[in-house]
Every structure is written in structure tokens, then in C-alpha cells.
Amino acid sequence: QVQLVESGGGSVQTGGSLTLSCTVSDISSTNCVGWFRQAPGLGRKGVAGIHTEKNAVFYVDSVRGRFTITQDNDNANTIYLQMNNLKPEDTGTYYCAATPGNRTPGGCRVVTLRADFGVWGQGTQVTVSS
């Protein structure tokens, strides 16, 4: 089963930026990778996803235009989430996640929006202060 390891979390002020990284153990076993977040006492919320075969990207409305998900051109096992103009409501634990198997681009979009990937890492904390 694919394994994922996140890094890059931290604390910033409103308007700041952070870049999260995710190392996927076997990128060939999945074509849908993304991020969801969870704040204390709340459920998972999808953030962004990428269909690695079609290079199609998906974002929830609250982060579109501020966050960018990309796959490393030199190391396909690494997925990044560039987060700009961070807001206090972006605070939470961010998880890198993947589907255990392939999805169509449309299916990857649904998985992203529902934060329903199936496999995820240990998470990295992002705190945005006002």
C-alpha cells in the first residue's frame, strides 16, 4: 500500500506563505494525490488534488487562487502544496493523501472535494495567526 510522508508545516501570520511537501512511496500505484486538512473538533475538509497522469488539478473554493498543488518535475514521488495569502481559517493539520489505485480525472476531483482519498500520512501542522 502506498505510504505518504508530509513536511513543511509551521506557524505564520495572516498573509504569509508556506510550502508543504509530500513524499509518496510508490507513485506508480496511484494517479490521484492531494491534501485535506482537519481543525480540532472538526471533520476533514478537502483542499487540493492532482491527477498525475493528466496533470489536472482541483481546488476547493476557499483556497482557489491562493494555493497551488504541483508534482515535482524531477522527482515524480514528490507533491507540493504552495500556500499563499494564508488566513486564520486555514489553520489545521494538513494531510497528504492518495487513492489506493487509479481514478479518472472526474473521480479524482470528487475524491479531492470530499477528502475521501483512502490513504493518508501522519499530517503536518499549519497555524496562521491574526
Side-chain angles (χ1 to χ4, degrees), residues 14-129:
T14 297
S17 298
L18 285 172
T19 300
L20 306 183
S21 299
C22 173
T23 300
V24 185
S25 64
D26 182 9
I27 196 66
S28 66
S29 67
T30 181
N31 65 358
C32 180
V33 184
W35 297 84
F36 66 86
R37 65 189 179 202
Q38 189 164 19
L42 299 177
R44 300 176 192 170
K45 297 190 71 175
V47 175
I50 182 168
H51 189 277
T52 56
E53 291 179 356
K54 299 297 184 182
N55 200 29
V57 295
F58 315 102
Y59 301 98
V60 297
D61 288 344
S62 62
V63 308
R64 187 175 290 111
R66 300 188 297 122
F67 291 12
T68 303
I69 185 170
T70 56
Q71 184 176 25
D72 193 310
N73 289 330
D74 298 322
N75 182 358
N77 288 334
T78 302
I79 304 295
Y80 299 105
L81 183 68
Q82 173 68 42
M83 305 186 295
N84 297 327
N85 191 21
L86 282 160
K87 304 176 180 180
E89 52 263 43
D90 295 320
T91 295
T93 302
Y94 281 68
Y95 296 87
C96 181
T99 57
N102 290 338
R103 297 290 185 273
T104 63
C108 189
R109 178 179 178 274
V110 170
V111 165
T112 297
L113 298 181
R114 294 179 179 177
D116 189 23
F117 289 89
V119 185
W120 55 92
Q122 82 286 354
T124 186
Q125 180 66 34
V126 172
T127 302
V128 185
S129 58

